[in-house]
Amino acid sequence: MSAEEPSDVRFMRLALQQAEQARRSGEVPVGAVLVHEGRVVAAGANRPIGANDPTAHAEIEAIRSGGRSLSSYRLTDTTLYVTLEPCPMCAAAIVHARVRRLVFGAWDPRAGAAGSVIDLFALPGLNHRVDVFGGVLMEECGGVLKAFFAGRRA
């Protein structure tokens, strides 16, 4: 996990906009954007509740949309920006989609699969390696989640 690129902050802010859409829909506020050759080709917001689909995490939504946008199930040479460290399901999908680079905001100490609970990306035997960078706009991304859950508990 290394220093962020200048564009990482800009794209993470777009992912935060997706998280806000999820929040307004009553979903856990997580957002994602998929970037190819410097442009956003797909975006996703959490929607498992609204879609009645436990796999409708922001990352999966962005990956599905990205596949359609790029007319390929291989998302090589893409970067996925996510406001929260991916869970194991999403981390596996990122690997299988051949995403080149993952950039996430807040760490997830309960379910994170990029180093918090497990580092799925470092498992031996995987046929694809993803460059992973965590902590981009960490305070903002974490703050959105903290405010959401504080509101739920109130």
Side-chain angles (χ1 to χ4, degrees):
M1 319 264 167
S2 70
E4 61 200 50
E5 294 179 4
S7 60
D8 287 351
V9 170
R10 179 169 56 96
F11 290 125
M12 188 61 74
R13 290 200 189 286
L14 295 176
L16 278 163
Q17 290 175 6
Q18 293 295 312
E20 175 58 21
Q21 285 183 13
R23 186 197 63 77
R24 285 195 308 266
S25 297
E27 303 277 358
V28 174
V30 178
V33 295
L34 185 69
V35 175
H36 182 256
E37 296 179 349
R39 68 180 179 88
V40 175
V41 295
N46 253 12
R47 55 184 218 103
I49 298 167
N52 295 312
D53 179 356
T55 70
H57 290 193
E59 300 94 328
I60 301 296
E61 295 294 298
I63 287 169
R64 287 177 178 155
S65 180
R68 288 188 297 273
S69 176
L70 297 173
S71 299
S72 179
Y73 72 103
R74 299 269 195 240
L75 302 177
T76 55
D77 297 323
T78 61
T79 300
L80 183 64
Y81 294 86
V82 187
T83 58
L84 181 64
E85 178 184 5
C87 71
M89 174 186 70
C90 292
I94 291 164
V95 170
H96 286 290
R98 307 297 196 274
V99 170
R100 180 180 58 83
R101 189 167 174 262
L102 166 68
V103 178
F104 66 89
W107 296 88
D108 185 351
R110 293 185 180 186
S116 288
V117 174
I118 186 173
D119 190 351
L120 190 136
F121 298 100
L123 292 177
L126 292 178
N127 62 349
H128 176 71
R129 294 287 168 209
V130 178
D131 293 329
V132 179
F133 303 92
V136 175
L137 296 182
M138 180 172 53
E139 290 79 18
E140 279 184 60
C141 293
V144 168
L145 289 158
K146 286 177 187 165
F148 176 80
F149 287 114
R152 284 264 164 102
R153 287 189 287 274

